[in-house]
Amino acid sequence: MSALSVGALAVVGLTASGAAAAPTPYTAGKHAAKVCSATTAAHTAVCDAIKLVNDKGVAPASTTPPSTGLTPSGLRDAYKLNGLSAGGRTVAIVDAYGYPNLERDLGVYRSQFGLSACTTANGCLRIINQTGGTSLPRFNAGWAGEQALDVDAVSAAAPDAKIVVVQANSASFADLGTAVVTASKQPGVVAISNSYGGGDASDATYGSYYNHPGIAVTASTGDNGYQGGSYPASSSYTTAVGGTSLVAASNSRGWSESVWSGAGSGCSSYNTALSAAASFDTGCAKRAMADVSAASDPSKGGMAIYYPTSKTASTWAQFGGTSEAAPIIAAVYALSGNTAGYANALPYAHPGSLFDVTSGSNGSCPTTQWCNARTGWDGPTGLGTPNGAGAF
């Protein structure tokens, strides 16, 4: 098993059999770049964050958020989250490597958008290593950018949620998994967001890391379009989170969504199908992904975030990828306060409390719903996106 390799301007998915699918551009133009470096190392994940860049491949430094970026007020309006409270509940974020200025940068983001301070001093924020200690891993710019997206996304969706960031020593499945177990043991944690993935893998080997009844464990499905399974989203223990393109619209909702072409989808070759999904015609003999989805298209619904460009410097840019969606959904679970049992079953019991995404595609596939939106469940967007927290 190897991690998925991602190019800067296009992505190559894998079919369920492992064959290469046609490249899928992130946007209509050459305006998107993967934040984390691709890896071919076995049993290793890559983060699923993407940023918009100019034609020279860079995101110019800016002291203000990009005007096209999704704001906290826009996100909460799109998913009807206004008026909901996390009630002191905690969202854990698991990523690899260190980010020395995380607290400072999160402060800039929250201040910019009028959100209350979330600091280590006031008890809102904690940053620990994969075993729960305070000696943090070495800095990695790509994964630090991922962490910035994650904490900003949770802040946007659930401004009163507490946040604990667990930084793994590396992007190996073993280190990330150890960090997830540590996250599950932290006081008040009701959801754990995982914005990374590698190739499909077996719960028989890695499932114990993600098996935490009573805690919603979300995982991004990847940015390679239709590809087959991507672990840990292909685990039977996680809520697999796909991606949409989100734009303002003159309809009763005020927004419209379609499949983001990069959203990962497919069937696991290893893991058990969710019993809750049995009546939803996934077409998969085993675990199908996604379960639900949220904004991921970096150019249509990508968030304005404040992120590090080096160990000392940070700036504003527009980020997307299914890395955006996984922490949004984790935050919505925190807003619901209802994560009893296996939380990935909850949306299947309440599909009417989701915005069904019925247009768009993320590639070519042998079974229509694996890569094409339709009424009800489909691979790229699952059952749909949050309409309040009633499905969670």
Side-chain angles (χ1 to χ4, degrees), residues 174-190:
D175 282 345
L176 288 164
T178 297
V180 173
V181 173
T182 294
S184 73
K185 297 176 179 177
Q186 303 309 303
V189 167
V190 298

Side-chain angles (χ1 to χ4, degrees), residues 18-117:
T24 302
Y26 285 125
T27 63
K30 298 177 179 178
H31 299 105
K34 194 73 175 168
V35 171
C36 291
S37 299
T39 178
T40 57
H43 314 292
T44 302
V46 64
C47 81
D48 290 321
I50 303 166
K51 65 180 175 181
L52 291 188
V53 297
N54 61 19
D55 57 2
K56 295 181 173 60
V58 299
S62 175
T63 57
T64 57
S67 61
T68 53
L70 186 64
T71 65
S73 61
L75 188 156
R76 291 196 302 275
D77 181 65
Y79 295 130
K80 311 310 172 192
L81 304 178
N82 287 314
L84 301 179
S85 171
R89 292 178 283 270
T90 300
V91 176
I93 291 164
V94 170
D95 282 312
Y97 303 108
Y99 176 8
N101 289 318
L102 188 156
E103 182 174 12
R104 181 198 72 182
D105 291 354
L106 178 60
V108 172
Y109 177 85
R110 293 179 70 107
S111 176
Q112 172 68 39
F113 293 111
L115 307 180
S116 61

Side-chain angles (χ1 to χ4, degrees), residues 76-330:
R76 291 196 302 275
D77 181 65
Y79 295 130
K80 311 310 172 192
L81 304 178
N82 287 314
L84 301 179
S85 171
R89 292 178 283 270
T90 300
V91 176
I93 291 164
V94 170
D95 282 312
Y97 303 108
Y99 176 8
N101 289 318
L102 188 156
E103 182 174 12
R104 181 198 72 182
D105 291 354
L106 178 60
V108 172
Y109 177 85
R110 293 179 70 107
S111 176
Q112 172 68 39
F113 293 111
L115 307 180
S116 61
C118 185
T119 66
T120 55
N122 69 13
C124 174
L125 177 67
R126 294 179 61 220
I127 306 168
I128 57 178
N129 65 27
Q130 69 181 46
T131 56
T134 56
S135 178
L136 302 177
R138 64 178 176 84
F139 173 73
N140 177 283
W143 279 89
E146 172 64 64
Q147 291 178 54
L149 172 59
D150 292 344
V151 295
D152 290 358
V154 169
S155 297
D160 68 331
K162 295 180 180 178
I163 300 172
V164 57
V165 180
V166 188
Q167 297 175 338
N169 292 340
S170 77
S172 74
F173 275 27
D175 282 345
L176 288 164
T178 297
V180 173
V181 173
T182 294
S184 73
K185 297 176 179 177
Q186 303 309 303
V189 167
V190 298
I192 304 171
S193 176
N194 303 276
S195 290
Y196 56 83
D200 192 17
S202 174
D203 278 336
T205 303
Y206 298 108
S208 61
Y209 292 133
Y210 298 93
N211 184 2
H212 303 291
I215 297 175
V217 184
T218 66
S220 55
T221 59
D223 302 334
N224 290 4
Y226 170 72
Q227 63 186 342
S230 172
Y231 203 83
S234 62
S235 169
S236 299
Y237 301 120
T238 65
T239 299
V241 185
T244 68
S245 299
L246 173 72
V247 295
S250 55
N251 54 24
S252 58
R253 177 186 171 189
W255 302 83
S256 66
E257 284 180 286
S258 58
V259 170
W260 174 49
S261 63
S265 68
C267 309
S268 174
S269 298
Y270 303 102
N271 301 321
T272 305
L274 301 188
S275 58
S279 63
F280 287 83
D281 184 28
T282 67
C284 295
K286 296 185 182 293
R287 171 66 157 120
M289 61 179 213
D291 300 314
V292 292
S293 52
S296 297
D297 184 338
S299 62
K300 296 179 180 179
M303 287 180 58
I305 74 155
Y306 195 70
Y307 81 106
T309 54
S310 71
K311 195 171 183 178
T312 56
S314 298
T315 190
W316 289 93
Q318 189 164 325
F319 274 53
T322 51
S323 277
E324 177 186 0
I328 290 172
I329 296 299

